[in-house]
């Protein structure tokens, strides 16, 4: 399809490039919308879902299907292995390089994903944190191993309640990262966020999808059931030898590892996947709702209505 003429004219006139960022909780329909917009604007998609980077994790990450990948060109889908040392800093660098290339021929590019930190890394830039004693992290990892994550969560809530309510609190890596900054600097982790970042040479327009909480939760439950039918258990079985890798410490995998290790029943493991995914969705919304400029739509919104709002936003940037 051709670019919308109004938007294309604005982009050519101002020489401004636009990144359309699609956000929202898991299972809300972000992939479907991103493909429709990519087709409308004749452009490509950058995935900012940190779990979909890994080629060994397909079913449990709800990665785009072969048909969806064929419908619009995607970047950063299954381009890494769980054995690779890959982080948000590396992603930011590679994604910006990809954007620079795409913007040579495209006025609009789409970025989509449920990993708020990874989306923000591209659209806003990463925060700078002070160097801290590496012994702090070692001590926190020891506490995690001996006492579990709940002790660390309680400590973070005491030291930085804002971060406790904003980060993926069930992710030990994120909790330990926030805690080591709090302890090492004597200041809240959140106090280092959003400070003097490098400006981007493109404009970001954020489109958010949402629904009533019971609708989101029902969609999550249905998705988990579908994943199990598609063979999630078999996918996880093949990954048992690597279960200690950080990439696999994620919802949908860690619960089934507990089942395969004889700690839980299968029914309980599946119920925990649903519960933890619902908690994850709640935290996603907490993170994304901080974006006061986002254009929020119900997940059933008509595509044309979304495009009209985007056109209006483009003209706002022009003026």
């Amino acid at each position: 399809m051709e670019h919308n003429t109004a938007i294309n004219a604005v982009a050519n006139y101002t020489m401004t490039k636009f990144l359309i960022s699609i956000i929202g909780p898991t299972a809300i329909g972000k992939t479907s919308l991103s493909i429709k917009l990519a087709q409308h604007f004749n452009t490509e998609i950058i995935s900012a879902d940190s779990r979909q980077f890994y080629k060994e994790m397909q079913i449990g990450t709800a990665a785009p299907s072969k048909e969806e990948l064929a419908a619009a060109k995607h970047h950063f889908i299954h381009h890494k292995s769980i054995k690779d040392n890959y982080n948000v800093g590396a992603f930011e660098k590679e994604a910006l390089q990809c954007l620079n290339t795409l913007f040579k021929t495209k006025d609009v590019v789409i970025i989509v994903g449920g990993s708020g930190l990874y989306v923000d890394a591209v659209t806003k830039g990463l925060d700078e944190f002070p160097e801290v004693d590496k012994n702090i992290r070692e001590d926190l990892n020891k506490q995690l191993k001996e006492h579990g994550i709940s002790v660390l969560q309680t400590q973070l809530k005491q030291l930085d309640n804002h971060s406790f309510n904003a980060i993926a609190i069930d992710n030990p890596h994120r909790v330990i990262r926030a805690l080591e900054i709090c302890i090492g600097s004597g200041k809240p982790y959140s106090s280092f966020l959003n400070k003097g970042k490098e400006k981007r040479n493109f404009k970001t327009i954020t489109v958010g999808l949402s629904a009533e909480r019971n609708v989101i939760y029902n969609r999550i439950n249905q998705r988990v059931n579908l994943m199990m039918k598609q063979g999630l258990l078999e996918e996880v079985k093949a990954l048992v030898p690597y279960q200690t890798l950080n990439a696999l410490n994620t919802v949908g995998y860690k619960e089934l590892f507990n089942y395969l290790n004889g700690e839980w029943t299968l029914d309980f493991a599946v119920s925990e996947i649903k519960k933890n995914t619902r908690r994850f969705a709640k935290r996603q919304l907490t993170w994304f709702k901080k974006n006061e400029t986002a254009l929020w739509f119900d997940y059933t919104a008509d595509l044309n209505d979304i495009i009209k709002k985007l056109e209006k936003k483009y003209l706002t940037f022009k003026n």
Side-chain angles (χ1 to χ4, degrees), residues 176-189:
I176 287 175
R177 177 56 178 159
L179 270 177
E180 69 175 350
I181 295 298
C182 292
I183 296 169
S185 69
K187 299 178 181 179
Y189 172 82

Side-chain angles (χ1 to χ4, degrees), residues 271-282:
S271 70
E272 285 295 290
I273 293 174
K274 293 176 180 178
K275 184 187 77 174
N276 290 332
T277 304
R278 293 193 297 266
R279 293 176 67 182
F280 175 59
K282 183 178 179 181

Side-chain angles (χ1 to χ4, degrees), residues 173-298:
H173 179 76
R174 298 279 172 83
V175 174
I176 287 175
R177 177 56 178 159
L179 270 177
E180 69 175 350
I181 295 298
C182 292
I183 296 169
S185 69
K187 299 178 181 179
Y189 172 82
S190 56
S191 69
F192 294 96
L193 303 178
N194 304 313
K195 302 292 183 181
K197 298 173 184 174
E198 183 179 346
K199 289 187 177 181
R200 299 305 192 209
N201 59 359
F202 53 83
K203 299 289 187 182
T204 299
I205 300 177
T206 301
V207 173
L209 290 181
S210 190
E212 294 294 328
R213 184 163 294 181
N214 67 309
V215 173
I216 296 173
Y217 288 178
N218 285 335
R219 289 174 67 87
I220 287 171
N221 293 340
Q222 292 171 10
R223 172 179 280 185
V224 173
N225 289 337
L226 179 61
M227 287 176 174
M228 293 302 295
K229 290 180 181 178
Q230 291 174 330
L232 177 58
L233 182 57
E234 286 68 30
E235 179 173 89
V236 176
K237 281 181 181 178
L239 297 173
V240 167
Y242 313 102
Q243 62 184 288
T244 58
L245 294 179
N246 185 60
L248 290 171
N249 183 26
T250 188
V251 177
Y253 293 83
K254 60 184 181 180
E255 295 88 356
L256 289 178
F257 285 140
N258 284 341
Y259 161 65
L260 293 170
N261 292 334
E263 299 172 22
W264 292 351
T265 66
L266 181 57
D267 285 345
F268 183 71
V270 172
S271 70
E272 285 295 290
I273 293 174
K274 293 176 180 178
K275 184 187 77 174
N276 290 332
T277 304
R278 293 193 297 266
R279 293 176 67 182
F280 175 59
K282 183 178 179 181
R283 292 194 173 278
Q284 283 178 306
L285 283 171
T286 298
W287 182 291
F288 290 135
K289 287 293 186 179
K290 293 185 295 183
N291 187 336
E292 297 179 354
T293 64
L295 303 173
W296 285 96
F297 297 89
D298 186 82

Side-chain angles (χ1 to χ4, degrees), residues 105-160:
T105 57
K106 308 288 184 183
D107 294 323
V108 178
V109 176
I110 312 293
I111 186 170
V112 59
S115 305
L117 178 64
Y118 284 73
V119 173
D120 287 356
V122 176
T123 60
K124 304 175 184 177
L126 288 172
D127 298 289
E128 292 188 9
F129 296 97
E131 291 289 330
V132 296
D133 189 339
K134 64 179 183 180
N135 291 325
I136 296 174
R137 170 166 288 209
E138 292 176 0
D139 180 61
L140 291 170
N141 278 315
K142 184 179 178 182
Q143 290 184 48
L144 174 65
K145 186 176 181 179
E146 294 179 353
H147 306 292
I149 194 172
S150 61
V151 172
L152 301 182
Q153 292 170 336
T154 299
Q155 188 176 5
L156 179 61
K157 186 172 185 179
Q158 293 172 343
L159 295 177
D160 187 357

